[in-house]
Amino acid sequence: MAQYDVVIIGGGPGGYNAATRAGQLGLKAAIVEGRGKLGGTCLNVGCMPSKALLHASEYFDAAANGEFAKLGIEVKPKLNLDQMMAQKAESVEALTKGVEFIMKKNKVEYVKGWGRIDGPGKVVVKAEDGSERTLETKHIVIATGSEPTPLPGVTVDNAGRIVDSTGALSLPTVPKSLIVVGAGVIGLELGSVWRRLGAEVTVVEYLDRILPGTDTEVANAFQKILGKQGFKFKLGAKVTGATDNGKQAQLTLEPVAGGDAETLQADYVLVAIGRRPFTQGLGLETVGITPDKRGVIANDHYKTGVDGIWVIGDVTSGPMLAHKAEDEAVACIELIAGKAGHVNYDIIPGVIYTKPEVATVGKTEDELKASGVAYKVGKFPFLANSRAKINHETDGFVKVLADAKTDRILGAHAVGPNVGDMIAEICVAMEFGGSSEDVARTCHPHPTRSEAIRQAAMGVEGWTMQA
Ligand code: FAD
Ligand code: NAI
């Protein structure tokens, strides 16, 4: 007889939210995690430590670059990097302990060790001391997450000069120079942290644009803003190799379009060219599951091709985002419990937590053009938003895209102050099948930056009030 209703392999946002929901629904659940702490990539080496450094470095930069002085606050900041790292570590520790507490509260058993599927309904867990324990269960949820994609010809050594995101979250000193390979979310967030603290940052990107997949108008505007902040970009550049001489890293690259190779030197190189699903040692072969490039693929609603084996989060297809993993976790467990779990993949927001922030949801203008859908655009610059103006944060704009016939909101894209928080309003409107007129006619508090969203929605209707 099975000891458990469900065993979840992986303790990240996918895994711990699945475990919590299982406990809430009265299922007997266990969560297996090998890294020694719950919280996964997100809490330990992802979302949370990166946001801790983004928050702290933003204040440092504001003090150092004259923003505070402009407000009449004259200070000469002195960086204490050890303290900045310590407060980050403390917050991470508190969060991971918090997840342990949530497991206890919901009567979920936390099994420490690396889990391996050993045939249907069986998970073998190897503890740190080498001992093994078999868990028998009705359902297995795979939530093993992702790992950095390696760059051919480049060896990442987080103790040396060539690092991935995990290394870049804990550099021992502020580099004079940092090369970031990959103009994606990690590169621009962590590049921002170190630029603010004093590094000269050069971003090398294979494509001829930053943030592929993001609305092009937003990405181009964002690149200009980052350029003003001091970021240097080498777009359309192919990295052919990298070496670490102990003191510096050397990167060789050549134009993708052909041309002369060049060599760049920097104190550190951060490789951030994407992440890939993690299934190493998981024993998928024992149940006949073969992952592809997107990971373990669900045939239908988080169900793999094998009865009783489910998959959620970064290790399966879709955007590699914590909130996507969390939503899949809840839906998956609800389905296991015989309820109607569901995730709306058309409304998964994406945010880049730089200054200013970038926030997107729904279809981009590029996608609408490509699919031939007739749409209307409303746009509003933060330069014309009174709160942004009074706060001297006028870079950026909001763009709302709506169906030309029905006015239903199809997407919204923004670069500007606090847009990461503000995009949730559009998510709710879209979830309710709302139109741009619905948002335009909704009273918004004044003076807030959220008025820029309302004004952009009014713009779709052609009656923006301020400009
Ligand atoms: P993970 O969080 O990767 O968790 C999987 C867990 O499974 C890991 O702890 C791993 O140790 C464990 N595991 C793997 N195999 C086994 C096994 N066989 N046995 C036991 N345990 C196993 N997303 C956002 O939405 N917002 C952000 O701001 C954000 N910032 C990020 C910043 C960085 C630097 C990085 C790297 C990522 C960031 N992400 C962010 C992405 C986010 O971290 C992931 O989308 C999210 O963690 C995915 O959750 P998950 O549960 O699927 O996997
Ligand atoms: P990414 O997919 O966002 O960006 C990778 C970039 O590297 C792309 O611009 C790509 O064109 C480029 N690239 C690929 N191969 C290259 C090569 N050989 N040379 C140069 N450039 C190359 O991946 P990133 O930044 O590593 O992030 C990984 C994942 O983590 C993302 O899927 C993201 O969703 C998630 N994440 C989310 C955050 C957030 O929500 N704020 C923050 C950080 C990460």
Side-chain angles (χ1 to χ4, degrees):
M1 225 199 51
Q3 303 158 273
Y4 299 95
D5 293 312
V6 55
V7 168
I8 296 144
I9 311 179
Y16 74 75
N17 281 283
T20 305
R21 192 73 187 121
Q24 287 169 346
L25 294 178
L27 301 177
K28 188 160 168 34
I31 186 165
V32 181
E33 171 56 61
R35 72 166 70 226
K37 286 187 176 169
L38 291 173
T41 302
C42 181
L43 268 59
N44 290 287
V45 289
C47 327
M48 302 322 298
S50 60
K51 266 79 256 179
L53 293 183
L54 279 160
H55 177 69
S57 63
E58 185 175 325
Y59 282 130
F60 180 82
D61 192 33
N65 76 10
E67 272 178 64
F68 278 2
K70 195 169 175 182
L71 301 174
I73 307 163
E74 295 194 359
V75 284
K76 248 197 177 158
K78 182 164 172 273
L79 181 66
N80 180 342
L81 187 62
D82 290 344
Q83 171 56 21
M84 201 176 274
M85 292 294 171
Q87 60 85 32
K88 173 199 71 169
E90 263 172 43
S91 303
V92 166
E93 181 70 12
L95 288 168
T96 58
K97 282 270 174 303
V99 175
E100 259 188 65
F101 171 75
I102 293 168
M103 293 304 101
K104 274 198 195 115
K105 194 172 159 224
N106 287 287
K107 301 191 173 48
V108 174
E109 190 183 344
Y110 169 22
V111 183
K112 292 187 183 173
W114 295 101
R116 164 180 103 237
I117 298 173
D118 190 19
K122 255 195 204 171
V123 176
V124 176
V125 184
K126 188 169 189 173
E128 217 182 349
D129 64 7
S131 62
E132 289 198 339
R133 174 181 162 195
T134 301
L135 313 178
E136 299 204 351
T137 176
K138 290 185 199 150
H139 299 273
I140 296 170
V141 177
I142 300 171
T144 49
S146 60
E147 61 177 353
T149 304
L151 178 59
V154 177
T155 307
V156 167
D157 168 6
N158 279 328
R161 298 279 161 180
I162 305 177
V163 299
D164 59 22
S165 54
T166 300
L169 285 167
S170 295
L171 296 183
T173 52
V174 177
K176 281 204 179 67
S177 50
L178 170 70
I179 297 172
V180 175
V181 184
V185 196
I186 291 180
L188 300 181
E189 284 190 356
L190 294 181
S192 287
V193 166
W194 294 108
R195 185 208 56 76
R196 292 166 185 176
L197 299 182
E200 259 193 25
V201 178
T202 305
V203 180
V204 176
E205 164 64 45
Y206 186 85
L207 299 176
D208 59 3
R209 57 163 292 172
I210 69 166
L211 295 175
T214 304
D215 188 272
T216 302
E217 189 183 11
V218 166
N220 288 344
F222 185 47
Q223 191 187 331
K224 277 201 193 115
I225 295 168
L226 292 176
K228 276 198 286 177
Q229 294 176 1
F231 269 86
K232 293 198 174 70
F233 290 95
K234 280 194 175 287
L235 303 181
K238 182 178 174 190
V239 174
T240 50
T243 53
D244 171 355
N245 67 15
K247 289 196 174 129
Q248 277 208 315
Q250 221 178 37
L251 194 74
T252 48
L253 43 130
E254 57 190 38
V256 173
D260 293 341
E262 72 175 305
T263 303
L264 301 178
Q265 301 257 13
D267 287 350
Y268 284 93
V269 168
L270 160 59
V271 179
I273 60 162
R275 293 179 64 84
R276 63 180 185 187
F278 182 75
T279 55
Q280 210 182 310
L282 192 56
L284 291 175
E285 63 290 348
T286 68
V287 284
I289 293 177
T290 311
D292 70 13
K293 250 178 37 197
R294 297 162 301 161
V296 177
I297 297 308
N299 289 358
D300 175 34
H301 284 91
Y302 324 111
K303 270 188 203 158
T304 65
V306 180
D307 264 358
I309 304 189
W310 308 68
V311 62
I312 56 170
D314 279 14
V315 70
T316 189
S317 52
M320 289 189 175
L321 295 171
H323 41 283
K324 177 261 192 186
E326 288 172 16
D327 284 16
E328 287 186 342
V330 170
C332 173
I333 294 296
E334 288 179 345
L335 290 168
I336 288 175
K339 296 177 177 292
H342 170 73
V343 175
N344 184 349
Y345 289 94
D346 290 335
I347 312 179
I348 296 186
V351 174
I352 307 173
Y353 297 87
T354 40
K355 186 175 179 187
E357 291 180 342
V358 173
T360 70
V361 66
K363 298 277 183 249
T364 62
E365 211 173 336
D366 317 76
E367 285 170 333
L368 292 177
K369 275 186 193 143
S371 64
V373 172
Y375 65 95
K376 295 182 289 181
V377 186
K379 240 192 291 177
F380 195 79
F382 280 100
L383 196 60
N385 172 274
S386 54
R387 185 64 180 278
K389 206 155 168 91
I390 211 87
N391 288 359
H392 311 285
E393 293 176 330
T394 50
D395 276 339
F397 62 92
V398 178
K399 172 160 85 173
V400 172
L401 304 169
D403 188 285
K405 262 202 208 123
T406 64
D407 194 34
R408 194 177 172 132
I409 300 174
L410 301 173
H413 307 275
V415 51
N418 267 46
V419 293
D421 285 316
M422 281 154 48
I423 200 78
E425 166 182 359
I426 294 287
C427 299
V428 174
M430 286 178 75
E431 196 63 55
F432 279 80
S435 63
S436 68
E437 188 176 353
D438 288 329
V439 174
R441 290 193 185 277
T442 301
C443 191
H444 282 60
H446 174 77
T448 62
R449 288 160 285 206
S450 75
E451 287 171 290
I453 288 201
R454 184 187 191 186
Q455 293 289 339
M458 285 175 165
V460 176
E461 308 305 311
W463 45 279
T464 296
M465 306 297 277
Q466 312 157 4

